[in-house]
Amino acid sequence: MSKQPLRPVPYPDDESGPFWEACGRHELVLQTCASCEHVRFPPRAMCPRCQSFESRWEPASGRGRVWSWVVAHPPVLPSFADRVPFNVAVIVLEEGVRMIGNLHGVANEDIREDMPVEVTFEDVEDGVSLPQWRPSR
């Protein structure tokens, strides 16, 4: 029987590769349209606002607010069994995009809508880190 990974890991493609490479360095970056300056996430080839294929990667503030969340209870996938109950939150970054991750350093029952948070990273494999969130200091 094969060993379960600590967490499911991303499989970067041409569009998302720079995002995941930056996460591996514990840096949060966002794709920005080089034509209209629209910040987008998840990364994709074409800007949804102006349809330009030109983009660049910009450092993100790493700050946001809780938009929504759920708390997962069993049954869950085997790689999450030792974590239940755990939260999954939607975070609105200062740049306006939404990202999904877990909130660390706060009890599930203390999570609140609009709670200010900042990015942190969870190393799940060699060179693979996931953006996660913690209450702002």
Side-chain angles (χ1 to χ4, degrees), residues 79-116:
S79 58
F80 294 100
D82 62 343
R83 297 172 179 258
V84 292
F86 63 89
N87 65 68
V88 179
V90 180
I91 307 301
V92 178
L93 273 64
E94 287 181 348
E95 292 83 1
V97 298
R98 294 179 184 161
M99 298 182 83
I100 296 173
N102 305 110
L103 284 167
H104 297 275
V106 61
N108 290 333
E109 59 272 12
D110 293 333
I111 299 170
R112 297 289 177 259
E113 181 180 1
D114 213 34
M115 174 186 287

Side-chain angles (χ1 to χ4, degrees), residues 8 11 15 23 26 35 47 50-51 55 59 62 64 69-70 102 110 132:
Y11 292 98
E15 281 76 38
C23 287
H26 292 197
S35 296
C47 176
C50 76
Q51 288 73 52
S55 66
W69 74 97
V70 299
N102 305 110
D110 293 333
Q132 301 292 291

Side-chain angles (χ1 to χ4, degrees), residues 9-22 31 41-46 57:
V9 296
Y11 292 98
D13 57 21
D14 290 342
E15 281 76 38
S16 68
F19 174 80
W20 293 114
E21 289 167 12
Q31 191 181 40
F41 188 85
R44 48 195 173 273
M46 185 176 72
W57 292 91

Side-chain angles (χ1 to χ4, degrees), residues 28 61-66 91-94 99 102-105 115-121 130-137:
L28 189 65
S61 67
R63 294 182 301 271
R65 294 189 173 274
V66 173
I91 307 301
V92 178
L93 273 64
E94 287 181 348
M99 298 182 83
N102 305 110
L103 284 167
H104 297 275
M115 174 186 287
V117 296
E118 59 188 22
V119 73
T120 185
F121 291 89
L130 302 177
Q132 301 292 291
W133 307 95
R134 64 180 173 220
S136 293
R137 297 179 188 172

Side-chain angles (χ1 to χ4, degrees), residues 65-77:
R65 294 189 173 274
V66 173
W67 185 73
S68 184
W69 74 97
V70 299
V71 176
H73 297 272
V76 296
L77 294 172

